[in-house]
């Protein structure tokens, strides 16, 4: 999201204080986003650089940072465009909304945006974006609880978006079940998915930086992946049986969107391709 024409130099200081993980352009010399860590092979979950000042980098590195964050921004915007074109004026809830890119982006596109996140600092992010962009996205403080298998009270929404959130949950089917109760028309899933019709769930070993719950089995919080077959079957049993895979664009961040072919054994050992799928009623 390019904020350069929406904020002044005074507001830029506030922007730097409240925006970080998601891809924003604050000024010609300042931008934010996690995409640089993905592109450079660093772990974006372990103290990555998220706020970039041009003077701190070489011209070559700055261009690379700009390219990576721009590709993530293009991907977010294309996904939001796809949703808004199918559900004009509808309500959208983003679970794990972070800085609020999806709820505010939905508002810009004529939808009604709400985001929920367990980090209360993100309320300041969304407040800043609402003020800068003249939007009215709502923030709800709360996390999905893997012990009780419950979401916070977030109401009912036409579309619920799940972007890189289910990968951190030990109980993805319980989570999907909760999402199905609050999504009236569609679920948007973005993340890794195992490319097989078999019914599989795969985990990495627990990651110490991703959860405050360290007890088994709730500590299985890293790279949780459903297979495509299991995801579709789970959604179908909840009434979401119309599936549309949003086609990746060349302008997107390269996270195995292209014609790379992985065997099931390779996927289970390493990683799966990221996909964006709309499951609709």
């Amino acid at each position: 999201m390019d904020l350069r024409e929406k904020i002044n130099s005074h507001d830029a200081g506030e922007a730097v204080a409240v925006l970080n993980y998601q891809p924003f352009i604050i000024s010609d010399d300042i931008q934010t986003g996690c995409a640089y860590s993905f592109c450079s092979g660093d772990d974006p979950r372990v103290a990555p650089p998220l706020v970039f000042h041009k003077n701190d980098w070489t011209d070559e590195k700055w261009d690379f940072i700009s390219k990576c964050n721009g590709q993530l921004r293009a991907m977010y915007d294309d996904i939001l465009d796809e949703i808004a074109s199918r559900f004009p004026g509808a309500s959208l809830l983003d679970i794990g909304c972070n800085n609020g890119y999806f709820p505010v982006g939905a508002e810009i596109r004529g939808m009604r945006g709400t985001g929920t996140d367990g980090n209360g600092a993100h309320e300041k992010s969304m407040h800043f974006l609402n003020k800068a962009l003249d939007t009215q996205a709502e923030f709800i403080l709360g996390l999905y609880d893997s012990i009780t298998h419950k979401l916070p009270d977030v109401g009912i929404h036409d579309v619920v978006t799940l972007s890189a959130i289910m990968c951190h949950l030990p109980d993805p089917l319980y989570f999907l079940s909760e999402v199905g109760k609050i999504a009236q028309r569609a679920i948007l899933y973005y993340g890794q998915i195992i490319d097989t019709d078999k019914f599989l769930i795969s985990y990495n070993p627990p990651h110490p930086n991703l959860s405050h719950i360290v007890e088994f089995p709730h500590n299985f919080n890293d790279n949780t992946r459903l297979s495509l077959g299991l995801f579709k079957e789970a959604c179908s049993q909840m009434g979401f049986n119309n599936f549309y895979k949003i086609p990746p664009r060349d302008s997107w961040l390269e996270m195995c969107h292209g014609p790379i072919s992985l065997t099931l054994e390779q996927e289970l050992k390493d990683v799966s391709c990221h996909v964006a799928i709309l499951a609709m009623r």
Side-chain angles (χ1 to χ4, degrees):
M1 198 173 290
D2 190 340
L3 303 176
R4 285 176 291 186
E5 295 184 2
K6 302 295 183 179
I7 62 177
N8 56 37
S9 57
H10 177 267
D11 292 332
E14 183 181 354
V16 169
V18 299
L19 302 177
N20 41 57
Y21 197 83
Q22 293 179 325
F24 296 95
I25 300 176
I26 295 172
S27 70
D28 290 342
D29 302 321
I30 307 172
Q31 59 182 277
T32 66
C34 61
Y36 169 73
S37 294
F38 287 119
C39 292
S40 61
D42 295 334
D43 189 339
R45 305 160 301 183
V46 184
L50 295 174
V51 180
F52 301 89
H53 296 262
K54 186 175 182 180
N55 290 339
D56 295 338
W57 305 85
T58 65
D59 289 345
E60 181 181 11
K61 187 66 77 171
W62 178 257
D63 289 344
F64 183 63
I65 291 166
S66 300
K67 175 185 176 183
C68 295
N69 285 328
Q71 289 173 329
L72 183 59
R73 191 161 48 249
M75 183 170 68
Y76 282 177
D77 288 340
D78 286 340
I79 290 173
L80 282 165
D81 286 345
E82 291 272 10
I83 296 171
S85 68
R86 285 169 173 76
F87 305 99
S91 62
L92 178 147
L93 171 72
D94 186 36
I95 298 179
C97 66
N98 201 273
N99 296 147
Y101 201 108
F102 272 64
V104 172
E107 289 265 329
I108 291 171
R109 291 162 175 81
M111 302 181 72
R112 289 166 286 123
T114 302
T116 181
D117 200 288
N119 185 344
H122 295 321
E123 184 172 13
K124 296 180 179 178
S125 308
M126 196 176 297
H127 175 76
F128 174 82
L129 292 172
N130 279 333
K131 181 176 65 174
L133 300 169
D134 195 25
T135 52
Q136 297 180 330
E138 180 185 359
F139 178 84
I140 299 174
L141 178 64
L143 276 175
Y144 172 76
D145 189 333
S146 66
I147 295 177
T148 63
H149 310 302
K150 295 296 182 183
L151 283 164
D153 184 8
V154 293
I156 304 297
H157 300 267
D158 294 310
V159 182
V160 178
T161 56
L162 317 173
S163 177
I165 182 68
M166 204 157 68
C167 55
H168 299 311
L169 299 178
D171 56 338
L173 292 182
Y174 282 96
F175 174 69
L176 267 183
S177 174
E178 281 293 285
V179 171
K181 296 172 185 175
I182 61 172
Q184 287 191 312
R185 301 172 66 185
I187 298 169
L188 181 283
Y189 171 83
Y190 174 77
Q192 293 185 52
I193 204 155
I194 304 169
D195 189 16
T196 179
D197 291 334
K198 297 178 183 297
F199 289 4
L200 301 176
I201 302 176
S202 176
Y203 298 90
N204 278 7
H207 192 293
N209 287 45
L210 296 178
S211 177
H212 66 281
I213 305 176
V214 297
E215 295 83 9
F216 172 83
H218 309 286
N219 59 341
F220 276 83
N221 56 11
D222 189 21
N223 202 25
T224 305
R225 291 172 289 159
L226 296 186
S227 64
L228 183 59
L230 181 55
F231 175 78
K232 287 185 172 182
E233 178 64 23
C235 289
S236 294
Q237 290 198 20
M238 297 186 294
F240 302 93
N241 47 25
N242 183 13
F243 298 94
Y244 174 69
K245 180 181 178 182
I246 299 175
R249 280 68 158 175
D250 291 339
S251 58
W252 288 13
L253 187 68
E254 178 56 62
M255 298 180 75
C256 188
H257 295 113
I260 299 172
S261 179
L262 299 173
T263 67
L264 179 57
E265 183 178 0
Q266 287 172 321
E267 283 196 68
L268 294 176
K269 179 181 178 182
D270 298 312
V271 296
S272 302
C273 291
H274 287 69
V275 298
I277 301 177
L278 268 170
M280 296 170 283
R281 292 192 190 275

